[in-house]
Amino acid sequence: MKFFWCAVLFCLTLGAFSDTAPFLRFDFSTVQPDGTVPDTGTAKLNAKVHGVIRKSESGVLLLDGKTNFIEIPGTENFNLLRNATFSIVFRVTNPAKKLQAFFSKSREMMFARNNRNLYSNIHDGKKWAGNLQIPTAFKLNDTEWHHAVLTFQYFLNQNDAEEWIERMIYFDGKECGRQKVENICIPSRGKLLEIGSNSCMGSSWKFCGEIAEVQVYDRILQPYEIRELLRSFPQVKT
């Protein structure tokens, strides 16, 4: 039941925000010289790029896969694993680098590219306990623009005292995998939400490529909403 009360607290914390607008939204063409990226979502928590700040030829943030990454100050106490949607528009520039993180919260969750697979995992406080992989989502040597989405939905059956999380992954507007994880507690460690890295695992998961836009919602986007969101990104060809 510990996870249940964590989830209730998170729901109450985010209840003041809009049901339609993203909780966090970052357009990485707007990165400032000091590394600040304005948040145009409802939370108004600006992102911070650490390391060398470079823009690609297309005018968006370019991460080198070695040193630079993004953190969102103010997200230390956010349990983003209850009814949440993570969306990223990206292009990998070094497909030979097998491990590349999209989102992470240290020893809580991760959404990433693992070789040619889409990958998500969640941590129960002792170990990674929810491995979800979508095989060969990426073509060999894929350097095209893509849109990847991960959703978390929390369920509670009060009659049977059962609780579980269901995760779904979408790739370029299509659902490509889902997983149900039962009776798992995901304790908050007070770490920041990261984009393009997973600090608890060193530099091995740093993202190498371009990131155009990131959105985080405090609710589940429906499949038609994900398709509509995809259509707003002209970089992604489907």
Side-chain angles (χ1 to χ4, degrees):
M1 295 301 291
K2 180 180 178 182
F3 178 75
F4 169 66
W5 290 113
C6 290
V8 170
L9 178 59
F10 176 63
C11 184
L12 293 174
T13 301
L14 299 185
F17 296 108
S18 168
D19 286 337
T20 56
F23 176 62
L24 300 168
R25 179 181 180 273
F26 302 107
D27 176 351
F28 285 98
S29 68
T30 66
V31 59
Q32 304 299 302
D34 66 353
T36 299
V37 186
D39 175 17
T40 56
T42 58
K44 305 304 179 188
L45 296 173
N46 294 340
K48 176 68 175 179
V49 181
H50 297 276
V52 177
I53 299 166
R54 293 178 55 198
K55 284 189 176 182
S56 65
E57 292 183 0
S58 56
V60 300
L61 183 66
L62 182 64
L63 298 182
D64 62 15
K66 298 177 181 178
T67 59
N68 51 2
F69 67 101
I70 305 150
E71 288 183 323
I72 307 172
T75 57
E76 296 91 338
N77 297 318
F78 290 172
N79 181 347
L80 292 172
L81 302 184
R82 183 184 189 274
N83 293 0
T85 300
F86 299 85
S87 162
I88 185 169
V89 178
F90 68 95
R91 186 176 81 86
V92 168
T93 56
N94 180 12
K97 188 177 188 299
K98 294 183 178 181
L99 308 178
Q100 305 204 41
F102 305 141
F103 297 94
S104 74
K105 223 167 173 276
S106 185
R107 298 195 185 281
E108 293 184 40
M109 64 81 72
M110 181 162 58
F111 183 33
R113 170 179 170 153
N114 182 350
N115 201 355
R116 291 173 59 197
N117 306 332
L118 279 168
Y119 168 74
S120 171
N121 214 331
I122 49 181
H123 203 281
D124 65 4
K126 296 181 180 179
K127 63 185 184 301
W128 293 102
N131 182 9
L132 171 59
Q133 295 211 51
I134 312 302
T136 61
F138 296 91
K139 298 176 183 177
L140 188 65
N141 299 320
D142 192 336
T143 58
E144 300 298 318
W145 281 99
H146 292 291
H147 179 220
V149 174
L150 172 69
T151 67
F152 283 84
Q153 190 165 8
Y154 174 74
F155 294 89
L156 173 66
N157 183 335
Q158 292 180 324
N159 292 331
D160 297 328
E162 294 179 339
E163 52 190 346
W164 66 93
I165 295 171
E166 184 172 80
R167 283 173 298 159
M168 300 173 64
I169 291 179
Y170 296 81
F171 190 57
D172 292 342
K174 298 178 181 178
E175 181 191 337
C176 54
R178 65 172 66 196
Q179 183 189 61
K180 178 181 177 181
V181 182
E182 299 178 318
N183 299 318
I184 184 168
C185 177
I186 307 171
S188 174
R189 295 181 175 272
K191 301 295 185 180
L192 298 178
L193 179 65
E194 299 177 34
I195 300 168
S197 66
N198 188 351
S199 294
C200 72
M201 295 186 175
S203 62
S204 60
W205 285 92
K206 281 192 165 55
F207 183 83
C208 186
E210 301 174 70
I211 299 179
E213 184 164 319
V214 160
Q215 296 186 22
V216 177
Y217 291 79
D218 54 359
R219 65 182 183 89
I220 300 297
L221 289 190
Q222 299 302 313
Y224 77 90
E225 294 177 293
I226 292 171
R227 291 192 295 270
E228 288 178 358
L229 187 60
L230 172 62
R231 285 194 286 269
S232 69
F233 303 130
Q235 305 98 321
V236 183
K237 309 300 182 184
T238 59

